[in-house]
Structure formats: C-alpha cells, structure tokens
Amino acid sequence: MSKTLLNKNNNNKFSELTAAEAKSMNAYCEDYKAFLDKAKTEREFAHEAGKYLEDNGFKPLESKDKLKPGDRVYTINRGKGVLAAVIGARPITEGVTIVGAHIDSPRLDLKPNPLYEDGHFAFFKTHYYGGIKKYQWTTVPLALHGVATLEDGTQIKISVGEKDGDPTFMVTDLLIHFAKDQMQKKLIEAIPGESLNIILGNAEYDGKDDEGEEIKEKVKYNILKLLSDKYDICEEDFISAEIEAVPAYKAKDLGLDRSMVAAYGHDDRVCSYGALRAVADLNRPTHTAVCLLVDKEEIGSVGNTGMRSRYFENTLAKIIDKREDGYSDLKLRETMSNSVCISADVCAAFDPGWPEAAEKHNIPVINGGLGVMKYSGSGGKSGASDAGAELMAKLRKIFNEGGIKWQAGELGKVDGGGGGTIAGFVANLDIEVVDVGVPLLSMHSPYESAGKLDIYMAYKGYKAFFDRKD
Ligand code: MN
Ligand code: MN
C-alpha cells in the first residue's frame, strides 16, 4: 500500500539521502566517471564491460557446457554489444529478468572516404550518427576513437585526443563578424551536415610520394604519412575502419555542490553502467538475470548489433540449451513469454531554462530518482510500447520495498516531440517491458548532465529488479 494519499514522488530527493547513502552514491559516481572516460564508444564500452565482468567472476558462455544456478556467463556481440547473465534458481522457462540498455551515443562518424584537402587544410568528412543539434558540435574539442581492420584481419585501435599532450580536433564555425546571413537561418539549416568536417592539419609534406611522383595535395599527403608512421595504415584502410569523433571532455562533477555529473554519453551509458554493476553484484537470483547492452539504438536499433537483431534470441537459446539439458524452440518461446524487462534508457528532465517544453506534472526532475516511463513515443503515443498496469504495479512494489527513489513521467509535452527506446523491440518478443532510466539535461549534446542521486538509483533500482522473487 502507498504510504500517503498524495503522490510526492516527482520532487527533488537529494536531502532525503542518509549520510551512508550519500557516501555510497559519491563513491559509485567516482567509479562511473572513471568508466565513462575509458568508454566513449560502443566498442570501448563492450571491451571495458568484458574486463569488468571477467574481474567479477563471469566466464565466456562458450567456455561452459552446462549451466547451474549461480553460474556467471557473458558474450560480446561483434565487439559492440554485451550479454551477461547470472543463472537463477528457478527453471529458465519460468522467465528471465532483463535489464536492457544501449551503449552507442550520438557522435560524428568518419565517411568511407574521409580524407581530403581544401584551402591548404586537411579534413575528415563525417556523417553524424544519431539525433544531434549540429550547431552544438562545432568549436568543441573532439577526440578520434575507433578501429581500422586490415585485409588480413589485424585490428588497429585508434585513440587520439584524450591523453594530456595529445592534439585535439574540431569542426570550425563561421566567425560572428561575417555571420550576418548565417544568423538569419533556421537552426536546422545554419550548420549543414556536409559542413561537419574535422580539421586535421595545415602543414605540407616535403618530398615525393612513395611511388616517386610529385604530390599534388601535400597537406593531405602529410596526414597520410603521419597515420602510416603511427598506425601503419593507408588511405584505403579507412574503408574498413570505424572511427568516431567524440567530445574530448572528461566526465566531471557539475555545480559547486557537486550534486550532478556532466559528461559526454550519459545517454545511455548511465543506464548501461548501472545495469552492468547491478548484474555483477548478484549472487544467486531467483530468476536468471540478463544484462543486455546493445548498439545502434540511436539510429533505430537496426543492424546485427542492435535490439532488432536475433542476437538476443540466439544467445538466450544457447543459455537454455546449457541450463535445461537441451534446447527446443518451445522452451525459448516459453522463456521469452514469461520474461520481464526494464528498458534502461535515459529520459528528459525538467530544465528551468525551457519550462515551455515540459508538462510540469509529468516530467521527471533531476535528483528526483529513477524516471519510470510507462510509454515513450510521440504525438498520440505513436511508436510507444506502453507498459501494462500490471507490470507498473509490480515495479512500484519492487522499488518501494527496496527503498529505491523513483518518479514517473513522460517525454515532454503531448504534441511537443518525443522519442523511442529499445522497449518496443523487446515487447515484440512477447516480453513484458517498461522504460526506467536516468533523467538528463541537454540530452544528445556534447555535454549532458545527470543528477548523482539518479545515477546511483539506476544501479540500485536495476539490482532490486534483478533480485525480484515473484
Ligand atoms: Mn537512449
Ligand atoms: Mn538517445
């Protein structure tokens, strides 16, 4: 039963924390910031998550022939996704408990033929990934992260712009003095996608090319020479590369009172990290716990590393086979039908700078706790999976009994816009699913903000959900 007649959930709860809780919260947020600085791309997140899981007793799924309660296993999906499971006491066909989040974030991806010279500068051409306000990505320090895979399969890791002493990269913008025409344009037109070119250099290569010919584009050639010297790659190698330009900022406490964290990529690493920590802290859950970290959410959950892929079903089938002495399609279908999932993704928080975008009774607040979103979507709930009242009731019980601070809301005003998560694709598998995540300010910008209480409650809330007994 609810304790009071009035629902007072959508309020700041920072002062409600005990000294011990505040201490745990701060320690958790220090770990989170350090992890964010190491994991700015989906590949880096998957890699770091793999290490974290190994350190916490998880073994590769393929290394186990049989699975028994308490066993800890994981798989990495093509270097860009993670599934970690702790086997529960009950038969797996009674359903698994899933916390699913995404580890990709908006950024600038290099095009297949990225390198060119213009006006005595060398540049990388980019194609932005995910929904961004393009003007936010000019004149901010960028770092380059990614991989180049050579024809023989060798993978070369690239990371420039993060370490002290590293050079930085950026997209220029027109100086205000000459911007009379630009300033009259709509925000969506003022910075065209084709102008998001990353500046790489200005110095010429002095000499002939590697075939002894005169060089026409000496600045471009100089960059190729530097890349060749450092990484042993050539221009064609970009075609089999995935290189992302991401903000070079480190995650930092926000505000004099340090009550928030500003960082690139809270969406959705704030939930992914919480899910990872929560699954690793489980001992012997009643139901098998599955932490599912996927890629490509920001572009529609497409591709074989996104939530629409069969990867989840295929991996679950392998787990069933090892846990239940053999696999059948019916067992897989039964398991999914009986499963419940938190789609762990960020939501929009009330921003006093833009009150007109919010409906004040239904927008989560920073440090008000985990945002429980019955549905997402836009204009008439279009595209939402809309969790059932029965699941919402279960979740309230788990969170209230577990001392989890939470609030409920939706994404901004009814006709104001909206968005989606992986929830709809999970629901398509006949799984109960609800969106629960951390409220953010400035979502999808190069520097997003989240409240420390909410960051910590993501971990606590997902852990309580994994520990469900019903
Ligand atoms: Mn997200
Ligand atoms: Mn997003």
Side-chain angles (χ1 to χ4, degrees):
M1 282 287 286
S2 298
K3 290 188 199 92
T4 58
L5 201 53
L6 282 171
N7 171 22
K8 296 177 182 170
N9 262 352
N10 286 37
N11 286 307
N12 187 293
K13 300 179 180 73
F14 212 69
S15 59
E16 293 173 18
L17 291 172
T18 63
E21 281 174 325
K23 198 171 166 221
S24 303
M25 172 188 79
N26 286 321
Y28 177 86
C29 287
E30 289 307 306
D31 293 345
Y32 171 55
K33 285 186 289 177
F35 195 91
L36 274 185
D37 291 341
K38 287 189 286 186
K40 288 196 174 182
T41 66
E42 59 282 6
R43 282 183 188 271
E44 288 170 352
F45 196 109
H47 178 74
E48 292 297 329
K51 282 203 292 189
Y52 185 80
L53 290 165
E54 289 274 350
D55 290 347
N56 283 276
F58 287 74
K59 302 279 178 234
L61 177 61
E62 63 271 17
S63 71
K64 295 251 185 195
D65 291 332
K66 292 258 177 270
L67 291 171
K68 57 180 191 315
D71 278 353
R72 302 153 83 79
V73 289
Y74 77 101
T75 67
I76 305 279
N77 182 11
R78 298 169 169 88
K80 302 184 221 178
V82 182
L83 188 152
V86 180
I87 305 304
R90 302 265 276 271
I92 201 161
T93 45
E94 289 184 22
V96 301
T97 313
I98 307 158
V99 177
H102 67 95
I103 56 178
D104 59 318
S105 296
R107 75 240 174 189
L108 307 179
D109 283 346
L110 297 201
K111 290 194 184 191
N113 298 308
L115 184 60
Y116 73 103
E117 179 171 333
D118 190 15
H120 210 275
F121 291 96
F123 295 96
F124 274 150
K125 287 219 72 79
T126 70
H127 194 140
Y128 61 92
Y129 173 96
I132 61 166
K133 286 174 152 181
K134 283 167 273 184
Y135 71 87
Q136 293 178 333
W137 292 72
T138 65
T139 66
V140 296
L142 298 172
L144 298 172
H145 292 238
V147 295
T149 309
L150 307 184
E151 283 181 301
D152 67 358
T154 311
Q155 195 150 70
I156 294 165
K157 280 195 179 162
I158 291 163
S159 174
V160 204
E162 295 291 347
K163 290 198 281 291
D164 287 343
D166 270 6
T168 197
F169 304 93
M170 68 184 296
V171 174
T172 60
D173 193 4
L174 185 60
L175 64 166
I176 182 68
H177 312 68
F178 298 171
K180 195 161 156 277
D181 289 347
Q182 187 198 31
M183 297 300 280
Q184 300 307 317
K185 288 184 180 168
K186 290 181 182 165
L187 283 177
I188 199 167
E189 291 159 2
I191 305 289
E194 289 297 349
S195 73
L196 294 175
N197 302 315
I198 295 169
I199 206 158
L200 287 174
N202 185 247
E204 287 180 2
Y205 182 70
D206 183 18
K208 304 234 161 118
D209 74 11
D210 55 354
E211 291 170 336
E213 303 284 324
E214 283 298 326
I215 300 163
K216 283 201 197 82
E217 296 178 313
K218 293 190 166 124
V219 182
K220 172 181 166 176
Y221 197 86
N222 194 44
I223 296 297
L224 277 174
K225 193 78 182 65
L226 290 168
L227 288 169
S228 163
D229 291 348
K230 180 149 190 208
Y231 298 108
D232 201 16
I233 58 174
C234 64
E235 193 171 12
E236 196 181 289
D237 292 329
F238 284 117
I239 291 166
S240 54
E242 287 178 351
I243 300 171
E244 307 174 7
V246 297
Y249 319 131
K250 290 207 180 320
K252 285 192 171 186
D253 285 349
L254 174 64
L256 273 177
D257 61 8
R258 297 174 180 268
S259 57
M260 296 162 281
V261 173
Y264 162 67
H266 277 312
D267 179 7
D268 185 32
R269 295 175 191 134
V270 68
C271 299
S272 310
Y273 183 73
L276 179 71
R277 286 280 299 253
V279 81
D281 279 2
L282 294 175
N283 188 12
R284 261 172 188 257
T286 303
H287 294 275
T288 294
V290 174
C291 165
L292 177 63
L293 306 179
V294 293
D295 178 31
K296 298 287 184 280
E297 192 278 340
E298 295 295 359
I299 58 167
S301 295
V302 291
N304 57 13
T305 53
M307 190 62 226
R308 295 202 222 196
S309 150
R310 278 275 162 85
Y311 166 78
F312 170 71
E313 280 173 81
N314 291 347
T315 308
L316 188 60
K318 289 177 202 163
I319 292 173
I320 291 169
D321 184 42
K322 291 168 198 266
R323 170 75 178 107
E324 298 288 309
D325 291 322
Y327 164 82
S328 76
D329 190 56
L330 188 63
K331 282 183 193 169
L332 174 65
R333 307 284 146 212
E334 216 183 321
T335 303
M336 288 199 290
S337 300
N338 289 328
S339 292
V340 287
C341 175
I342 279 181
S343 158
D345 207 343
V346 297
C347 55
F350 178 74
D351 185 340
W354 309 94
E356 66 279 13
E359 188 273 282
K360 65 182 183 196
H361 304 289
N362 282 286
I363 185 136
V365 297
I366 292 285
N367 286 320
L370 266 178
V372 177
M373 314 295 273
K374 188 173 182 298
Y375 50 85
S376 60
S378 58
K381 296 192 179 180
S382 180
S385 82
D386 207 351
E390 297 83 353
L391 178 61
M392 296 300 284
K394 255 189 213 176
L395 198 70
R396 277 174 63 198
K397 186 170 187 307
I398 291 170
F399 284 179
N400 287 336
E401 286 179 359
I404 310 305
K405 299 194 187 302
W406 63 282
Q407 50 191 329
E410 64 171 17
L411 277 174
K413 277 192 173 163
V414 172
D415 288 327
T421 64
I422 64 166
F425 308 113
V426 176
N428 289 347
L429 298 171
D430 192 22
I431 293 171
E432 290 286 336
V433 58
V434 56
D435 282 302
V436 181
V438 172
L440 294 190
L441 296 178
S442 309
M443 196 190 292
H444 286 204
S445 76
Y447 220 36
E448 303 172 320
S449 304
K452 282 191 176 174
L453 178 147
D454 309 329
I455 294 170
Y456 181 53
M457 286 301 151
Y459 156 71
K460 293 257 289 183
Y462 301 154
K463 172 113 189 323
F465 183 65
F466 277 141
D467 273 329
R468 76 188 173 97
K469 300 283 181 268
D470 64 310

